[in-house]
Amino acid sequence: MGFGNESHGLLSRMAVNDQHGENSAYFDGWKAYDRDPFHPTHNPHGVLQMGLAENQLCFDLIQEWMRNHPEASICTPEGLHHFSDVAIFQDYHGLPKFTKGVANFMSKVRGGKVKFDESRVVMSGGATGANEVIMFCLADPGDAFLIPTPYYPAYARDLCWRTGVQIVPVHCDSSNNFQITRDALERAYKKAEEDNINVKGLLLTNPSNPLGTTLDRETMKSLVTFINEKNIHLVCDEIYAATVFSTPSFVSVSEIIQDMEFCNKDLIHIVYSLSKDMGFPGFRVGIIYSYNDIVVSCARKMSSFGLVSSQTQHMLADMLLDDDFVDKFLAESSQRLAKRHSLFTMGLEKMGITCLPSNAGLFCWMNLRSLLKEQTVEGEMKLWRVIVNEVKLNISPGSSFSCSESGWFRVCFANMDDETVKVALRRIEVFVGKEGEKAKNVIKRRQRTTGLRVNSSSSKRFDESWLMSPHSTHIMSPHSPIPHSPLVKVT
Amino acid sequence: MGLLSTKVTCNSHGQDSSYFLGWQEYEKNPYDRVMNPEGIIQMGLAENQLSFDLLESWLDKNPDAAGFKSAGKSIFRELALFQDYHGLPAFKNALVDFMAEIRGNAVTFDPDHIVLTAGSTSANETLVFCLGEQGDAFLIPTPYYPAFDRDLKWRTGVEIVPIQCSSSNNFQITESALREACEEAKKRNLRVKGVLVTNPSNPLGTTLSRDELNLLIDFINEKNIHLISDEIYSGTVFSSPSFISVMEILEERNYHKDSHPDVWDRVHVVYSLSKDLGLPGFRVGAIYSENNTVVAAATKMSSFGLVSSQTQYLLSALLGDKKFTKKYISKNQKRLKRRQNMLVSGLQKAGINCLNSNAGLFCWVDMRHLLQSNTFDAEMELWKQIVYEVRLNISPGSSFHCTEPGWFRVCFANLSQDTLNLAIKRLKSFVAESSPSGAHHSRESSKTRSLTNWVFRLSSRVREQEER
């Protein structure tokens, strides 16, 4: 049931509208993967999941720590005596050891250059929950946040769906490597004012998803200055903070404001999570860290709607406070990401495919603009469908990140092993080679028919008829965007 | 134009209520048998601490579930990555079986219609986001759980209109009370979207009768509105009458899902493991609905508060052990019954009666005869005396929106037997001393007057517990 968009329907409008964003074509790729998931031995020709920004590179380190610390689990003989205290504990201030551990970890991730106050650490249901809560605290329905594009697709759901807040995109493009400029911000802010939209703040993801780049010190300073001038909030989603694997090193907003005396700290808020840095999305550890006391107090009350399981808090507390482990983990994780990034990007370079130079994240921002027949969203989607259905790689089209320039794709590389990366590279190579051949053949045919010699400046131009080959299947509408995990089949 | 949202500055979160101020007092001066024997005894916390030994012994015998292993093989990685909002199938299957078992298998639940949430706090809010919006209201019988004001209204913008119940008929829901509530909503320009009941009731500790349930179904059918049945205490029913879920009534009326889809579309159940299993820290809540649109929307919304995968895994093993669950449900209920009897008979010896109850982790205690006057001010005075002099943190009825002064909720399952006995002893002495003696009374009143100012000064740090 649910009566469409009437306000007097059986259900709320929220329940029946599609503001959750899950009907986006972006999720078609998941469906293709779900139907035909790659497996090295069982299904070597299946679809490779490269649309999932997960960090699977360091489980061995965590498992080793857990093996050496059985008391961290409340279920082992060594930890069982904690069971009842932990099971009963639902105080939204969090287990003291846990919030201390989080503050400690966050500080280490920033090279010890900042100290975090554990009394400002507020829990949430993953960063998903954190982003929604911070919006509930800072904005009313109809208010807006500026967000530089390209940005994480689920922001539409997390920031807007139940809060009624709107996103005002600040478009960035490749002319300057997608960097945010003061100019672009001012223009977006002014336009919002003209349109009578009440801008409450600016939200940055730093390191960026999907770009994989970090903001430099000067840019951060100018952004902090900007929000202070306009007296609007700055929310920095630093969920990828520990995935920085090469220079320039990460500069957190927390570091910047230490040296900016004029900055009104009440405007500064950080969203964090352990889902990317440690690879634990299943444990739902989201954090809001605000320099504004009222926001901390309000967010803490709202955290009742998404507290971290006390079992999880207890398990992670000692791990996060174990300095030796944390130092080793951060260093090793960084190294492995660097290696993986290099393996992938160098492999792509050999075939003439470039990625945006990046120093962080679990993905690359791949430039396939030269493969587009038309430099439009439709052109991008056509190419994407070929890549999903024929090359059998689920990668994410730039348009799903609200990118204003067509032809960019986010490709994840940290959710698989080295062998699988090589399989992906081989497939891309074959694809690029084939397309090169086809382009050459098209050109030769044209030469024969027109009698002209056309110098192909790129081997990657395509005939439209090829894109509409009988092999490309029609994409059905998506249901769940979430991929099947082996645990779903294990039952 | 404020810097922050209006949600920050309004107090719909309800945490300024006196209910939470009692916590503050307890935190300052908590009873400890050895370290602080004169301290305040916590009886305002509806927790079930009676059956941990059963859980612990199960864990002892089941190392695989404890150690992230399945058939000896580590599944840590898979669990760490598992964030599918459809939930772990093994867990949902075990959960629906457990829910059916609690209902004597008179009802079955389809795991595809369960949505997992971070506690029933999140389940209730999520359901309201799906069913209502600003300008809408839900009717709730009084007295009701104080935090409903936060869970149902704060971020959703939905209002609560009380269905006034009274001791004249043991606080049962009547048709006239339902209709009056509707009228009240109309006066306030609110559109009634549904009725929410807690069954078994918090704070009454009673289960809804068959008549009440039938009345509710008739009412929601007449108005074409929803019924949310929060059955979080369903496993705590320890004596007759046995628990009847609203789902059972629908089955009884032959409302088959094919022939009467519309009523099934409007009845929803909320559940949690916080009370029955005593695991509030694990944040395990659930919404059950046959309305596919609600399930679809609620599932997406659960992204904001999923249950930790390691917790789902642990509990799928625990609840999947049917021998264990049968033993647990039965033993737990027996222990609750014994405890409730202790409190009820102890209070009786002090001349204090409780509402006849058959469920819950608390008694609804009648202290009207101890009030100086039949007013809520007098109730507050009495409460302060009990907190500061008798040194018991119990919850005043006004915080549950009770229409009659003088009722208090007193919890019995979150403390040891000895502590409960001590609490009863203290109350007995207090009652004895409180019998007519003018001088004594005036001494007490001046003490409480000076306390009034202090108590109502809001502290900046209220340590709230997720109380029910």
Side-chain angles (χ1 to χ4, degrees):
Chain A
M1 280 202 146
F3 301 133
N5 290 319
E6 301 159 21
S7 59
H8 301 274
L10 188 67
L11 306 179
S12 66
R13 275 172 289 191
M14 206 182 279
V16 300
N17 69 24
D18 58 3
Q19 300 297 301
H20 47 72
E22 289 183 25
N23 293 336
S24 140
Y26 165 63
F27 295 112
D28 289 348
W30 299 102
K31 198 157 205 264
Y33 169 75
D34 271 359
R35 273 196 308 257
D36 183 20
F38 169 83
H39 185 280
T41 47
H42 304 322
N43 191 19
H45 300 293
V47 176
L48 283 169
Q49 177 59 284
M50 302 191 88
L52 195 46
E54 277 177 356
N55 184 353
Q56 295 194 27
L57 303 185
C58 290
F59 282 126
D60 57 319
L61 300 176
I62 294 169
Q63 281 178 273
E64 191 196 338
W65 187 92
M66 292 189 47
R67 259 194 308 272
N68 295 333
H69 295 85
E71 71 284 359
S73 163
I74 46 173
C75 309
T76 55
E78 295 85 347
L80 196 54
H81 59 281
H82 287 299
F83 182 84
S84 53
D85 288 336
V86 171
I88 274 286
F89 188 86
Q90 55 175 334
D91 183 346
Y92 62 21
H93 290 88
L95 275 173
K97 259 191 356 180
F98 174 71
T99 48
K100 194 161 175 228
V102 168
N104 184 52
F105 186 76
M106 285 175 74
S107 174
K108 286 211 167 269
V109 167
R110 288 151 186 77
K113 294 183 219 139
V114 195
K115 276 262 151 322
F116 289 91
D117 175 356
E118 65 202 81
S119 71
R120 290 188 180 281
V121 171
V122 175
M123 296 181 286
S124 60
T128 300
N131 278 313
E132 191 194 44
V133 166
I134 200 79
M135 286 300 116
F136 270 126
C137 290
L138 303 181
D140 285 319
D143 289 342
F145 259 73
L146 300 169
I147 310 192
T149 66
Y151 62 75
Y152 170 52
Y155 275 155
R157 174 195 64 191
D158 300 352
L159 306 176
C160 308
W161 187 23
R162 305 193 307 180
T163 60
V165 169
Q166 48 179 320
I167 294 175
V168 170
V170 181
H171 289 294
C172 305
D173 60 59
S174 60
S175 61
N176 69 342
N177 285 336
F178 295 94
Q179 292 183 75
I180 309 157
T181 62
R182 179 68 190 248
D183 214 44
L185 272 179
E186 294 279 5
R187 272 183 281 123
Y189 186 84
K190 186 151 178 258
K191 173 119 200 327
E193 265 187 333
E194 283 162 11
D195 292 342
N196 251 326
I197 296 174
N198 187 25
V199 174
K200 287 310 283 285
L202 168 66
L203 187 143
L204 304 171
T205 310
N206 179 32
S208 161
N209 172 16
L211 305 176
T213 53
T214 50
L215 292 170
D216 63 66
R217 200 171 288 273
E218 285 317 306
T219 308
M220 282 293 321
K221 279 196 188 144
S222 97
L223 295 172
V224 172
T225 307
F226 172 77
I227 58 114
N228 270 279
E229 278 170 16
K230 305 283 191 256
N231 196 33
I232 61 176
H233 293 279
L234 179 59
V235 176
C236 285
D237 185 342
E238 299 190 343
I239 194 178
Y240 289 99
T243 66
V244 177
F245 51 77
S246 72
T247 52
S249 57
F250 179 56
V251 179
S252 162
V253 66
S254 53
E255 209 190 310
I256 294 290
I257 62 174
Q258 274 177 157
D259 305 320
M260 292 175 88
E261 275 162 26
F262 69 87
C263 175
N264 177 5
K265 293 206 166 68
D266 277 348
L267 299 173
I268 310 291
H269 323 275
I270 297 176
V271 160
Y272 188 56
S273 162
L274 297 183
S275 299
K276 309 295 177 182
D277 289 351
M278 298 199 83
F280 295 152
F283 297 161
R284 314 314 300 148
V285 181
I287 302 290
I288 295 167
Y289 189 95
S290 173
Y291 290 88
N292 182 320
D293 290 345
I294 301 177
V295 171
V296 169
S297 166
C298 183
R300 186 159 279 141
K301 293 180 177 76
M302 288 189 180
S303 70
S304 302
F305 298 110
L307 295 172
V308 177
S309 168
S310 55
Q311 175 189 16
T312 301
Q313 291 185 53
H314 179 80
M315 183 183 76
L316 298 179
D318 283 338
M319 190 190 295
L320 298 174
L321 285 168
D322 184 341
D323 283 344
D324 284 340
F325 166 78
V326 171
D327 288 339
K328 178 172 138 191
F329 178 88
L330 291 176
E332 188 63 34
S333 172
S334 201
Q335 262 180 46
R336 293 181 188 185
L337 280 168
K339 228 173 119 204
R340 182 52 70 80
H341 171 264
S342 179
L343 171 68
F344 191 63
T345 50
M346 281 174 34
L348 290 176
E349 260 169 44
K350 288 198 189 105
M351 327 163 195
I353 295 181
T354 54
C355 294
L356 186 75
S358 64
N359 61 327
L362 309 173
F363 34 70
C364 293
W365 190 233
M366 191 166 69
N367 182 355
L368 297 182
R369 283 182 300 167
S370 55
L371 300 189
L372 293 188
K373 169 77 178 155
E374 315 151 3
Q375 297 292 327
T376 60
V377 174
E378 290 72 35
E380 180 182 282
M381 291 308 278
K382 276 186 185 150
L383 175 59
W384 176 62
R385 283 186 200 115
V386 167
I387 294 173
V388 169
N389 293 313
E390 298 194 22
V391 189
K392 300 222 175 156
L393 300 180
N394 179 31
I395 65 177
S396 314
S399 49
S400 62
F401 293 85
S402 305
C403 187
S404 53
E405 228 174 81
S406 304
W408 294 87
F409 291 79
R410 190 192 75 172
V411 187
C412 300
F413 54 63
N415 61 318
M416 54 187 62
D417 58 28
D418 282 345
E419 281 318 304
T420 312
V421 174
K422 291 176 186 157
V423 171
L425 287 170
R426 272 200 296 275
R427 287 188 190 179
I428 297 174
E429 194 173 20
V430 165
F431 170 65
V432 166
K434 259 197 221 154
E435 301 323 310
E437 276 310 304
K438 281 186 185 147
K440 282 189 203 146
N441 288 337
V442 165
I443 290 158
K444 277 187 194 149
R445 271 205 308 274
R446 282 198 184 136
Q447 285 172 343
R448 279 197 293 273
T449 53
T450 64
L452 290 170
R453 308 207 101 225
V454 177
N455 248 342
S456 161
S457 57
S458 157
S459 61
K460 299 178 179 85
R461 266 195 216 125
F462 300 103
D463 187 281
E464 198 175 301
S465 61
W466 173 84
L467 287 170
M468 282 153 49
S469 88
H471 302 294
S472 42
T473 51
H474 175 65
I475 305 290
M476 292 184 283
S477 63
H479 53 72
S480 159
I482 311 297
H484 279 300
S485 133
L487 289 170
V488 173
K489 294 179 181 117
V490 153
T491 58
Chain B
M1 184 196 31
L3 189 67
L4 303 177
S5 70
T6 50
K7 285 179 182 56
V8 166
T9 45
C10 77
N11 65 354
S12 290
H13 51 73
Q15 283 184 215
D16 299 340
S17 117
S18 56
Y19 176 74
F20 295 109
L21 293 177
W23 293 101
Q24 198 186 333
E25 273 326 285
Y26 166 75
E27 293 278 329
K28 288 204 161 67
N29 183 18
Y31 168 81
D32 182 280
R33 196 178 55 86
V34 172
M35 307 294 279
N36 189 16
E38 296 307 313
I40 298 178
I41 298 176
Q42 175 62 284
M43 302 188 89
L45 192 46
E47 275 177 0
N48 183 356
Q49 295 195 26
L50 303 187
S51 302
F52 280 128
D53 59 316
L54 301 177
L55 297 171
E56 283 158 0
S57 95
W58 184 90
L59 284 169
D60 211 31
K61 301 192 187 97
N62 291 272
D64 259 15
F68 288 129
K69 289 205 182 84
S70 174
K73 194 170 158 282
S74 170
I75 54 164
F76 176 82
R77 181 192 188 106
E78 287 79 0
L79 280 177
L81 293 173
F82 187 83
Q83 55 172 331
D84 182 347
Y85 59 20
H86 292 98
L88 204 60
F91 176 54
K92 290 203 303 187
N93 287 333
L95 182 62
V96 300
D97 283 348
F98 185 67
M99 287 169 70
E101 199 177 346
I102 286 174
R103 290 154 183 72
N105 289 308
V107 196
T108 50
F109 295 91
D110 179 351
D112 288 340
H113 285 266
I114 269 256
V115 179
L116 300 174
T117 59
S120 57
T121 299
S122 179
N124 279 315
E125 191 197 42
T126 299
L127 248 189
V128 174
F129 266 126
C130 290
L131 306 181
E133 46 191 64
Q134 189 104 26
D136 294 339
F138 270 79
L139 310 180
I140 309 190
T142 63
Y144 65 77
Y145 166 53
F148 275 154
D149 290 329
R150 173 196 64 193
D151 299 353
L152 309 181
K153 298 184 347 175
W154 190 19
R155 306 191 306 179
T156 62
V158 167
E159 280 298 330
I160 293 175
V161 174
I163 301 165
Q164 312 288 18
C165 300
S166 85
S167 60
S168 59
N169 71 340
N170 291 330
F171 296 95
Q172 290 189 67
I173 305 167
T174 63
E175 188 177 338
S176 61
L178 278 169
R179 296 202 184 281
E180 270 168 42
C182 269
E183 280 310 304
E184 175 65 26
K186 223 164 146 183
K187 278 196 207 121
R188 286 166 62 178
N189 245 329
L190 297 166
R191 207 166 36 240
V192 176
K193 285 314 278 290
V195 178
L196 186 147
V197 296
T198 309
N199 179 28
S201 161
N202 172 14
L204 304 176
T206 53
T207 48
L208 287 177
S209 65
R210 199 166 239 102
D211 284 344
E212 282 171 293
L213 288 165
N214 276 309
L215 170 66
L216 286 165
I217 300 283
D218 287 338
F219 186 74
I220 62 152
N221 280 342
E222 180 194 314
K223 305 279 181 198
N224 195 36
I225 59 178
H226 296 272
L227 177 62
I228 300 176
S229 180
D230 184 344
E231 302 187 349
I232 194 180
Y233 289 99
S234 45
T236 67
V237 179
F238 49 76
S239 68
S240 60
S242 52
F243 176 61
I244 309 171
S245 166
V246 69
M247 291 297 189
E248 232 182 290
I249 300 292
L250 294 183
E251 298 273 357
E252 263 175 23
R253 286 187 172 202
N254 278 325
Y255 280 163
H256 293 300
K257 288 157 203 182
D258 301 320
S259 55
H260 289 83
D262 59 299
V263 69
W264 284 100
D265 271 352
R266 290 181 284 104
V267 175
H268 323 277
V269 170
V270 162
Y271 188 55
S272 162
L273 298 180
S274 299
K275 308 297 174 181
D276 291 350
L277 284 186
L279 307 172
F282 290 179
R283 315 315 301 145
V284 180
I287 296 168
Y288 187 86
S289 178
E290 294 286 348
N291 183 323
N292 290 325
T293 314
V294 170
V295 170
T299 302
K300 293 179 178 72
M301 289 188 187
S302 69
S303 302
F304 299 111
L306 297 173
V307 179
S308 172
S309 59
Q310 63 168 151
T311 302
Q312 290 189 52
Y313 184 68
L314 172 65
L315 295 173
S316 69
L318 183 84
L319 297 181
D321 182 343
K322 304 287 195 262
K323 248 178 91 186
F324 169 77
T325 55
K326 190 160 175 226
K327 180 176 99 175
Y328 182 92
I329 291 173
S330 157
K331 275 201 165 158
N332 182 46
Q333 286 169 356
K334 288 197 179 90
R335 293 176 184 185
L336 286 169
K337 182 177 186 173
R338 225 177 21 236
R339 233 5 130 72
Q340 187 254 21
N341 280 344
M342 259 181 77
L343 179 62
V344 170
S345 53
L347 289 176
Q348 253 165 23
K349 295 198 184 96
I352 297 174
N353 289 324
C354 298
L355 184 75
N356 239 353
S357 67
N358 63 325
L361 309 174
F362 33 73
C363 286
W364 189 234
V365 181
D366 184 356
M367 298 205 207
R368 288 177 293 172
H369 60 295
L370 299 176
L371 295 182
Q372 299 274 29
S373 59
N374 185 24
T375 61
F376 284 110
D377 281 343
E379 180 183 278
M380 272 296 114
E381 290 300 313
L382 177 58
W383 177 63
K384 278 177 227 158
Q385 276 187 289
I386 295 174
V387 171
Y388 294 110
E389 293 173 33
V390 191
R391 287 155 294 125
L392 302 180
N393 181 31
I394 65 177
S395 315
S398 49
S399 61
F400 293 84
H401 303 279
C402 187
T403 48
E404 285 170 38
W407 291 88
F408 290 80
R409 189 191 74 174
V410 181
C411 299
F412 55 67
N414 65 310
L415 64 190
S416 73
Q417 230 169 259
D418 288 342
T419 313
L420 181 57
N421 278 326
L422 174 60
I424 293 170
K425 207 167 124 206
R426 286 186 187 177
L427 206 44
K428 258 164 106 174
S429 314
F430 168 72
V431 171
E433 284 165 25
S434 294
S435 35
S437 158
H440 181 86
H441 258 165
S442 67
R443 266 206 309 279
E444 298 307 318
S445 329
S446 69
K447 230 200 248 179
T448 55
R449 253 201 305 278
S450 67
L451 290 168
T452 312
N453 300 332
W454 190 93
V455 166
F456 285 100
R457 188 169 29 103
L458 287 177
S459 156
S460 59
R461 195 170 168 79
V462 178
R463 290 197 83 87
E464 186 216 350
Q465 304 246 4
E466 290 301 313
E467 225 289 276
R468 296 206 59 148

